[in-house]
Amino acid sequence: METQLIEIVDVALAGRSYRVRIGPGLLADASHWRSLVRGKHVLVVSNTTVAPLYLDALAKGLDGLHWSSFLIDDGETHKTFANVGRVLEALGELGATRDACVIALGGGVVGDLAGFAAACWMRGIDFIQVPTTLLAMVDSSVGGKTGVNLPAGKNLAGAFHQPRGVIADIDVLHTLPQREFRAGLAEIVKGAAIGDADFFAWLEDHADAIVRRDATPLVAAIARKCRYKAGVVSRDETEQGERALLNLGHTFGHALETAGNYSEILHGEGVAIGMVLAARLSERLGMASAADTQRLIALLQRLGLPTEPSRTHSASRVLDLMRLDKKNTAGTLRLILWRGIGKAEIVSHVRDEDVLGVLVRP
């Protein structure tokens, strides 16, 4: 593929700025990432699905370093404290010093868990994100959120720990199952829905090509979403204000994921459904029009994403789980809603009956 397909997005943070590199051939060409490793010890954290496909290619760039790998099983249910402990034990066995580096080779589960372990080891060592899913490329690998799930809810334990860099090699998406690929598209739509109406229209125009995984529009879409998120993160790193907008659909989506024990729906599917529910709630509150909701539903469906929650779980159960969301304050629901495409905002003191009104549909 042509080198001009490579895009670079800068995440500007005081003293901790880094780059997101997006394009083909980045994993096998260590010139794109080897300089990010400052010490001699490297632990590659991956999973049992990704490692057989891409660990050897990464390992070729680790010549001369003292490195080892640690693998977890694949799936959201393995993003646990127990596995963080095992990663820390692997760092100890490696003899990792304070200039050691953790490389997260995998999707969002691997990236979140590996980053959290890196934040804990000696109170914080370097890590590099090498996302292998579209969802991780456009969302979890950028911005420094790390953590694990608890029985009470998703990502309730974690830390902000920025990576040294992000290497998003689109070649790895060739082996990504279609359902996983489509789940990643939800996060791209989310970025447009929050604050970029022009991007939303661009996605409507290029939806079919993106679903086909055509390289040029795919790289463009990933870069535009990452650039938008990088701008938000640079202005509000620890989610004191604007960064909370990036959670459009997440309060609903996380609750649906938790209700299904993290095994019924993928994160991106939860986000897609959650965005539709947030849009319907915005309609109910008189904030936005039904026309915008229908545009959102139409785009998500063209991308092959679900737009309705399962009826397996009661609305009251989902509402109870939504109350555990980290954006809530003093026990009141605080949701990200919108005033139409590209105009998201934080809304506090949302009434239970209004939430139930969109969860319970005829």
Side-chain angles (χ1 to χ4, degrees):
M1 291 184 179
E2 303 92 336
T3 55
Q4 61 261 34
L5 278 178
I6 295 176
E7 293 253 12
I8 294 178
V9 175
D10 290 312
V11 183
L13 296 166
R16 287 167 294 112
S17 296
Y18 56 94
R19 286 187 155 180
V20 182
R21 290 171 172 81
I22 306 156
L26 303 181
L27 180 59
D29 184 353
S31 67
H32 292 289
W33 54 268
R34 174 63 185 264
S35 63
L36 300 174
V37 179
R38 295 190 282 193
K40 292 295 183 183
H41 297 92
V42 173
L43 180 68
V44 181
V45 179
S46 189
N47 68 34
T48 51
T49 298
V50 172
L53 297 170
Y54 300 114
L55 182 56
D56 286 348
L58 182 73
K60 291 176 183 176
L62 299 176
D63 285 345
L65 299 175
H66 184 45
W67 73 276
S68 65
S69 61
F70 178 84
L71 308 185
I72 63 172
D73 290 332
D74 196 1
E76 188 77 30
T77 55
H78 302 289
K79 197 168 78 171
T80 63
F81 263 121
N83 275 328
V84 170
R86 294 182 184 107
V87 173
L88 295 175
E89 290 170 3
L91 284 165
E93 292 171 5
L94 182 65
T97 50
R98 294 206 65 172
D99 60 355
C101 181
V102 173
I103 298 180
L105 176 67
V109 170
V110 168
D112 283 1
L113 188 146
F116 189 31
C120 295
W121 185 255
M122 295 189 175
R123 298 187 177 91
I125 61 172
D126 290 346
F127 86 111
I128 299 169
Q129 288 272 22
V130 186
T132 59
T133 66
L134 180 59
L135 183 68
M137 288 181 185
V138 300
D139 187 51
S140 61
S141 67
V142 181
K145 281 188 176 180
T146 71
V148 295
N149 301 329
L150 300 177
K154 184 169 177 175
N155 295 329
L156 289 180
F160 287 98
H161 189 54
Q162 299 292 342
R164 283 273 292 159
V166 180
I167 306 300
D169 186 342
I170 66 165
D171 286 347
V172 305
L173 299 179
H174 294 312
T175 58
L176 190 66
Q178 184 76 332
R179 185 183 176 193
E180 295 272 359
F181 179 80
R182 291 178 185 272
L185 296 177
E187 284 288 348
I188 294 177
V189 173
K190 184 198 73 176
I194 291 166
D196 194 339
D198 290 340
F199 184 29
F200 194 96
W202 183 91
L203 288 171
E204 290 174 316
D205 291 340
H206 294 84
D208 295 339
I210 291 171
V211 168
R212 290 195 304 266
R213 311 192 195 195
D214 292 356
T216 299
L218 183 57
V219 169
I222 294 170
R224 190 155 177 177
K225 169 58 167 61
C226 288
R227 198 165 282 119
Y228 173 74
K229 182 170 184 179
V232 173
V233 170
S234 68
R235 294 186 294 271
D236 180 20
E237 180 182 1
T238 58
E239 201 169 299
Q240 302 305 304
E242 181 186 6
R243 186 169 179 175
L245 295 176
L246 296 175
N247 292 296
L248 177 68
H250 280 57
T251 304
F252 285 106
H254 282 173
L256 293 170
E257 286 182 81
T258 304
N261 295 314
Y262 310 115
S263 60
E264 290 184 2
I265 59 173
L266 300 176
H267 173 67
E269 294 170 339
V271 170
I273 297 166
M275 284 192 289
V276 172
L277 293 171
R280 286 178 175 151
L281 181 55
S282 300
E283 271 186 66
R284 183 184 177 93
L285 298 178
M287 296 172 56
S289 71
D292 282 314
T293 303
Q294 290 308 309
R295 276 184 73 189
L296 175 63
I297 291 171
L299 178 57
L300 292 171
Q301 289 178 344
R302 283 181 66 195
L303 297 174
L305 286 158
T307 56
E308 296 288 344
S310 165
R311 301 304 172 200
T312 304
H313 310 290
S314 70
S316 59
R317 165 67 172 153
V318 175
L319 177 59
D320 286 343
L321 291 168
M322 289 174 68
R323 291 194 181 98
L324 287 170
D325 188 88
K326 297 182 291 299
K327 292 180 294 302
N328 294 334
T329 55
T332 64
L333 283 176
R334 185 168 173 258
L335 302 178
I336 311 305
L337 303 179
W338 73 358
R339 295 191 181 276
I341 293 165
K343 300 174 184 176
E345 65 179 66
I346 302 168
V347 179
S348 299
H349 306 296
V350 180
R351 298 185 308 169
D352 288 359
E353 53 262 43
D354 288 321
V355 175
L356 291 169
V358 298
L359 287 171
V360 179
R361 287 176 60 81

